[in-house]
Every structure is written in C-alpha cells, then in structure tokens.
Amino acid sequence: MRKKSIQGVVKEISLRKMLYPLLTLIVTILIFLLIPFYQLWNPEKITSAEQIAGLYDKEHNYIDITWQKLYYSGYDYLENGKKVGSYYYALENDICYFVILPPEMTESRAEVLEQVQVTARLVSGGKTLQDLIKGMAEDLGWTAQGLSAVTSHIVIDGMGYAWIRSNLLFGINTLLAVIAGFTIGRLAVFILRPMYYPACRQMKCYGSVKSHMRQINKERREENLICGDLTITRHYLIYISKYEMQIIPLKDIFWAYKYSMYHRFRKQKLTYTLRVVGRRGVMVIAPEQKKREVDKILAYLEEAVAGIRIGYKKEYERTAKRYWQAEKAKRKRL
C-alpha cells in the first residue's frame, strides 16, 4: 500500500489535533450563551417590587432594588449544612417577597432592616421556598396554602449575584475561547499549507523546504528501517506519531541518546524516549518507544552517521549549546 505523502500526514495530524480545541470552543460558546454576563454587569435598576414578575418572565434575571423594609423570617440560607445567608421578606401591595441576604448585610441581627439596597438574581423558589412557607406558616399559625397564595414564587437571591466569581468565569472562558480559536486557526493553516507545519518549516535550515519534501516523499516509498514510530530513509530520520511529526537530515545529526520513563499511573509500564540532536538546533524527540526499537535506531545511526555521539554526557550537551549559539549568530548576520 502506498504511503501518504508528508503533506498528507500533516493534514491528518492537524485534523486529529483539532478535535479537542473545537470541542473547547463549542463549550465556551455555550457558556457565553447560557450565562447572561451582560445582565450580570448591568442589573436592571427597579423602584418597585411589582416589576419583578415582568422582568423574570422576560428573563431579565438580575436586578438592583432598594427595599423600604425587610423583616427577618427566622430562617437561614444553608449550603452543605453551613449557614451562608439569611431569609428576609418584604410585603409589597399584599404580596410577600422572600429575599436572601448575605451575612455582611445582616451582621446586626436586626429583626427589621430599613432602606436595604440589594443587587440580586431572580430565581424560582421551588421546593426550598415551599418548605420555607410551610415552616413560617406553622410559626405564624397560618396554613401553608394560605401563605403560599400571597407569596411570590420568585426569590430575590442576594447570594446569587456572584460578581467576582462570574467575572472570574468570564475571564477563564474568554481565555479558553481565544486559545481554542487560535489553535484551530493555526491547525487550519497547516491543513491548507502543510509546508508551514513546524517540522517542514525547519527544513529551511537546510535549503528549499519543497525540495526536501519531494526528496522525503520519494525516499519513503523505498525500503527503509522502520522501528515503531521512527523511520530512517537514505537521508532522513522521521518520527510520525498520532499527534506529532518531526524530521531531521541524517547528515546534521551529531548526538543521539535514549532515556527511560516509568508510567506509574497511566500505563504501568516502562517506555523509552529517543532524543536526536542536530548541529543546527533541529531535534527529534520520540517518546514512549520500545527499548529494542530505540536500540536498533541508535545502532543504525552509530554506523551510518560519521562522528555521531551516542549516549548522554554533559560534554555533548555543552557541545550542542555551542553549535546552536553559532547557528543563531549566523542567522542574525544573514
């Protein structure tokens, strides 16, 4: 079966890598659609509780209102069994509205609060409100049905206006959307113009990128040494995995070595990483390879590449840095 061209490999890798950023972008867009950040930053300023029902029906869920009087209900707002707020209520035009106030607004423990400015979220009371009505009705000697009939089903939740938390969510969501969008755009460029892929673009260090790609495509159709994700052709070492591709000309390699890694939590096994270093700063790093395959590659390189260093030594690392510094200086002069 004829192998894909390098351009085809780049397109396949880029499409595969696009899945996660695409899903991330979709999730961030859904968050922007589901959470009304604009409303949160611009709560509807109202002067009368009569406006609450209309705003709630229109899904304007964030309000700013000043209550003339709020009365303590005798009940606290709990989260995971811990008190985080208190239920107060207001009587407006024979309708009872329940308001949840944070602790900083109720430190005085006053039974009646006057001129209370509240920025809050409008939420449906649901079962929690029904339980509250039932408890209050028993305390007041009323029936739950009677109290429920004169109580708004909308709760004014002063705890739900989490300005800092929502802004943090907005910031993180925006950052993720930007990163995902940039990543998708970058991968789209690689799909449309495979020559811009980093491994292809690095071949510019050695001459014409197109000439190298033609030569690599030609050599890959020949009989080559293939060890796992690594292939050695007549003139190149090529690493192609599910999500990555790297290339280095054999003539540029001066150092190669392996090191092991034990995957304790993920795979419970020992794998090897091959690191091949070129004189011009180009490297191939092939992780999670089998020992026998890495050893075969190293043995081949030791025999085929004149002057290559095999194995890790500090001396080789210092030599590599000198090569790269010289290459950088050369590029600056050009």
Side-chain angles (χ1 to χ4, degrees):
M1 184 174 70
R2 187 174 178 178
K3 292 183 178 179
K4 289 188 181 73
S5 66
I6 287 296
Q7 292 89 333
V9 172
V10 169
K11 291 178 181 180
E12 190 176 84
I13 289 173
S14 299
L15 281 170
R16 197 176 290 125
K17 290 173 73 172
M18 195 178 281
L19 175 63
Y20 292 111
L22 190 60
L23 289 175
T24 300
L25 186 61
I26 291 171
V27 170
T28 57
I29 290 172
L30 287 174
I31 290 173
F32 281 127
L33 293 175
L34 294 173
I35 299 179
F37 288 106
Y38 180 79
Q39 287 185 35
L40 191 141
W41 295 328
N42 299 274
E44 193 81 24
K45 192 170 183 66
I46 63 176
T47 56
S48 171
E50 293 179 346
Q51 298 171 261
I52 288 175
L55 290 172
Y56 182 80
D57 290 341
K58 293 177 182 177
E59 297 185 353
H60 293 292
N61 293 331
Y62 292 92
I63 64 167
D64 186 308
I65 184 173
T66 299
W67 300 95
Q68 298 302 314
K69 285 187 179 182
L70 287 176
Y71 302 91
Y72 183 47
S73 68
Y75 291 85
D76 295 320
Y77 178 71
L78 307 176
E79 284 186 358
N80 298 321
K82 183 180 178 182
K83 177 187 172 182
V84 294
S86 300
Y87 281 101
Y88 278 71
Y89 66 92
L91 298 172
E92 297 280 341
N93 297 319
D94 298 325
I95 298 177
C96 177
Y97 295 92
F98 279 98
V99 183
I100 304 173
L101 297 182
E104 58 269 21
M105 297 183 70
T106 60
E107 289 176 352
S108 64
R109 300 276 184 178
E111 292 293 323
V112 180
L113 300 176
E114 296 185 358
Q115 295 297 312
V116 183
Q117 188 271 330
V118 180
T119 304
R121 181 186 178 196
L122 304 180
V123 296
S124 176
K127 185 179 184 301
T128 302
L129 178 60
Q130 294 304 314
D131 290 342
L132 177 63
I133 290 173
K134 183 178 179 180
M136 278 194 67
E138 290 177 0
D139 294 340
L140 297 172
W142 291 5
T143 64
Q145 292 81 1
L147 183 55
S148 180
V150 295
T151 299
S152 171
H153 71 282
I154 303 166
V155 173
I156 296 83
D157 185 4
M159 302 292 298
Y161 188 74
W163 191 86
I164 295 176
R165 188 168 56 192
S166 298
N167 275 277
L168 183 62
L169 175 61
F170 178 82
I172 293 173
N173 203 56
T174 300
L175 181 63
L176 288 174
V178 170
I179 293 172
F182 175 79
T183 304
I184 291 169
R186 183 170 176 267
L187 292 171
V189 170
F190 297 156
I191 292 169
L192 296 173
R193 294 286 186 272
M195 295 299 178
Y196 291 159
Y197 189 80
C200 300
R201 200 167 61 244
Q202 282 184 330
M203 291 300 101
K204 194 175 181 179
C205 298
Y206 311 105
S208 167
V209 174
K210 289 184 179 179
S211 296
H212 278 289
M213 292 305 106
R214 282 197 295 268
Q215 183 67 22
I216 291 169
N217 287 333
K218 179 181 177 182
E219 291 184 14
R220 289 183 74 232
R221 292 193 290 269
E222 301 171 359
E223 291 292 329
N224 298 304
L225 174 63
I226 300 174
C227 297
D229 299 325
L230 294 151
T231 300
I232 295 182
T233 69
R234 281 185 292 124
H235 297 99
Y236 301 92
L237 170 63
I238 306 168
Y239 167 67
I240 299 175
S241 69
K242 195 174 180 180
Y243 296 104
E244 188 61 64
M245 182 183 75
Q246 300 169 42
I247 305 169
I248 188 170
L250 296 180
K251 66 179 182 180
D252 189 55
I253 299 172
F254 84 93
W255 180 27
Y257 65 94
K258 69 182 179 184
Y259 57 89
S260 61
M261 182 173 291
Y262 182 66
H263 304 273
R264 183 182 302 275
F265 301 106
R266 190 157 56 92
K267 293 185 177 180
Q268 293 284 324
K269 68 175 183 179
L270 186 69
T271 65
Y272 287 79
T273 295
L274 175 69
R275 187 181 179 97
V276 179
V277 183
R279 292 177 177 82
R280 299 193 181 184
V282 176
M283 291 188 294
V284 168
I285 301 173
E288 298 190 22
Q289 305 300 308
K290 294 178 180 178
K291 183 179 184 298
R292 65 176 179 273
E293 293 170 344
V294 172
D295 287 342
K296 192 181 293 186
I297 292 290
L298 288 173
Y300 183 94
L301 292 175
E302 188 172 20
E303 184 178 338
V305 181
I308 190 172
R309 286 86 162 169
I310 300 294
Y312 179 81
K313 286 185 180 180
K314 280 285 185 181
E315 176 191 344
Y316 300 160
E317 189 171 5
R318 288 193 291 269
T319 303
K321 289 179 180 178
R322 288 198 296 271
Y323 276 131
W324 299 342
Q325 288 168 358
E327 183 66 20
K328 285 181 181 178
K330 179 181 175 182
R331 290 177 188 175
K332 285 181 180 178
R333 289 196 297 269
L334 297 174

